[in-house]
Amino acid sequence: MTHVAGRDRTLRLAFVSAVVSLVAAFAAVGSTIPLFNIYRAEEGFTNADISITVVAYSVATLTTLLVLGRLSNHLGRRPISIAGLVLLLLGCVLLLNVHGIGILIAGRLLMGLGAGLASSSITSYVVDAAPARPAWLASVASSQTIMLGLAVGAVASGALVQFGPWPRELIFLVVIALLLASLTLTVVSPETVTRMPGAWRSLQPRVYVPARARSLLPVAAAVFLATWAAGTFYQAFVPALVAEQLHTSSPLIVGLVFAAYMASSVLGAPLGGRFTPAAAQRIGMIAFLAGMIGLIAALATGTLALFITATIVAGASQGVAISAAIRGLLHGSTLADRAPIFSVIYLLSYSGATIPALIAGQLSSTFSLPQIALGYGALALVATLFTVIAARNPRTGPTGIARLGA
């Protein structure tokens, strides 16, 4: 009994450490967003330049997930988590002195490498150490802690840029301190997997999903692609939209608008636990589409209140849909399954972030930002229709093999 209690305490430490580290990792990523307008004004960066930095971050993340996504199964969650946090810390150090687009791109590349490691190793660490009850906690914590981190980073950055000293540096100093604290927590936390051979072989790019989850993957992919594309739209274009369409240049407002999308995702995610994964994905995507329609209407009319409301609706509903999709994919998973599953989840997610952002960045010199928003709305419509038609639940048959049902 004492042994079980001790194990529970060590797992709680690992869970808290992993959650704090994931928040810190993506707070670092979100911290640059309110600075984009300052870089535009003071360094002459264009919308296309900013879009390229978002793409650079996403490409680095995708590459890391593809090559290193399964490495934590072999070397352990802790060392790979530590490596990711160190890369993010180095990215923050580089961004302390941005005076050219090359430095911004390089800093975001380092952040992308770190976020790629965090997306596979730390999220797997969260699931490994999560309490068994409530049943939805593992999927919500692993998916929505990222959104929380992005929101925290954006709001803190906006506030410090607007009201603090050293507007271009202070947020990165704060995030560096948070990353150092996360590194300390991770170092003293227990490992959740046993090291095993095959680390070099795991570096060979391979997309692997357990057989029981493969039939769920198309709908999950539609959810991840559409929702993460919208998240990248908020990163790359909302700072300019807030300034040009909604007539405010406040960095704090930029941070709050981005946080309204990400933080409401965290609040919406537990609601999905009340429904089956298929029902939650359908409900979430229908509401997400409604939010995107409201966003487009707000941009057409220049209405800030509608813009914020639509942002909250879209964010909360994406939380429902994303956490439900992850819950379905994780159903019946083992320790060895989790890193590959999360690698595939984030490969799809960052593909949704990268490809539309690359296209939109190229079109930003030809089309207005409200017109570009229409393209993201069309993507949301297609993904929602497919989800409504094709969403299924994982079901375990008598042999223990997961089967799918409506």
Side-chain angles (χ1 to χ4, degrees), residues 205-252:
R206 179 186 172 208
V207 176
Y208 164 73
V209 177
R212 64 181 169 275
R214 287 173 194 165
S215 296
L216 299 176
L217 200 57
V219 170
V223 170
F224 300 143
L225 290 170
T227 55
W228 277 65
T232 306
F233 172 78
Y234 273 82
Q235 283 192 56
F237 296 112
V238 161
L241 280 170
V242 168
E244 297 170 13
Q245 301 294 319
L246 304 177
H247 315 298
T248 177
S249 57
S250 165
L252 180 57

Side-chain angles (χ1 to χ4, degrees), residues 272-318:
R274 299 172 180 267
F275 305 95
T276 65
Q281 286 176 88
R282 291 186 181 109
I283 292 167
M285 289 304 293
I286 290 169
F288 174 74
L289 177 61
M292 292 300 292
I293 291 169
L295 172 68
I296 293 165
L299 295 176
T301 59
T303 307
L304 181 58
L306 178 58
F307 184 88
I308 296 296
T309 301
T311 294
I312 292 171
V313 169
S317 54
Q318 81 151 6

Side-chain angles (χ1 to χ4, degrees), residues 24-25 29 41 58 63 74 99 116 130 139 170 187 226 235 240-241 247 285 305 323 347 350 356 360-361 363 378:
V29 175
S58 298
T63 303
H74 301 274
H99 291 291
S139 63
L170 182 56
V187 167
Q235 283 192 56
L241 280 170
H247 315 298
M285 289 304 293
S323 60
L347 278 169
Y350 282 106
L363 295 177

Side-chain angles (χ1 to χ4, degrees), residues 194-209:
T194 303
R195 288 193 177 205
M196 59 182 184
W200 284 110
R201 287 195 303 275
S202 77
L203 301 182
Q204 181 180 349
R206 179 186 172 208
V207 176
Y208 164 73
V209 177

Side-chain angles (χ1 to χ4, degrees), residues 80-134:
I80 305 304
S81 298
I82 288 168
L85 292 170
V86 168
L87 285 167
L88 285 156
L89 193 151
L90 292 175
C92 289
V93 170
L94 197 57
L95 292 177
L96 285 169
N97 187 32
V98 174
H99 291 291
I101 192 64
I103 295 294
L104 183 57
I105 290 173
R108 294 292 283 179
L109 275 169
L110 281 172
M111 285 187 167
L113 295 172
L117 290 179
S119 295
S120 61
S121 61
I122 303 182
T123 49
S124 298
Y125 201 16
V126 168
V127 175
D128 293 349
R133 293 286 181 270

Side-chain angles (χ1 to χ4, degrees), residues 26-174:
F26 285 90
V29 175
S31 65
T32 57
I33 295 164
L35 286 162
F36 285 159
N37 281 344
I38 289 181
Y39 296 149
R40 284 187 181 92
E42 297 181 3
E43 305 297 336
F45 298 167
T46 65
N47 287 337
D49 290 334
I50 297 299
S51 181
I52 287 296
T53 69
V54 174
V55 170
Y57 163 82
S58 298
V59 168
T61 307
L62 281 167
T63 303
T64 305
L65 285 166
L66 195 59
V67 177
L68 304 177
R70 293 174 290 139
L71 194 58
S72 70
N73 276 353
H74 301 274
L75 300 184
R77 308 293 193 221
R78 290 171 61 252
I80 305 304
S81 298
I82 288 168
L85 292 170
V86 168
L87 285 167
L88 285 156
L89 193 151
L90 292 175
C92 289
V93 170
L94 197 57
L95 292 177
L96 285 169
N97 187 32
V98 174
H99 291 291
I101 192 64
I103 295 294
L104 183 57
I105 290 173
R108 294 292 283 179
L109 275 169
L110 281 172
M111 285 187 167
L113 295 172
L117 290 179
S119 295
S120 61
S121 61
I122 303 182
T123 49
S124 298
Y125 201 16
V126 168
V127 175
D128 293 349
R133 293 286 181 270
W136 48 260
L137 180 61
S139 63
V140 169
S142 58
S143 64
Q144 299 308 309
T145 302
I146 289 176
M147 306 301 180
L148 178 62
L150 289 167
V152 167
V155 173
S157 178
L160 293 176
V161 168
Q162 188 160 341
F163 302 113
W166 321 311
R168 292 172 56 147
E169 296 86 18
L170 182 56
I171 182 57
F172 295 118
L173 294 174
V174 171

Side-chain angles (χ1 to χ4, degrees), residues 36 79 94 102 183 207 233 242 256 258 265 328 330 354-355:
F36 285 159
L94 197 57
L183 280 166
V207 176
F233 172 78
V242 168
L256 287 171
F258 182 74
S265 178
L330 288 176
T354 305
I355 297 169

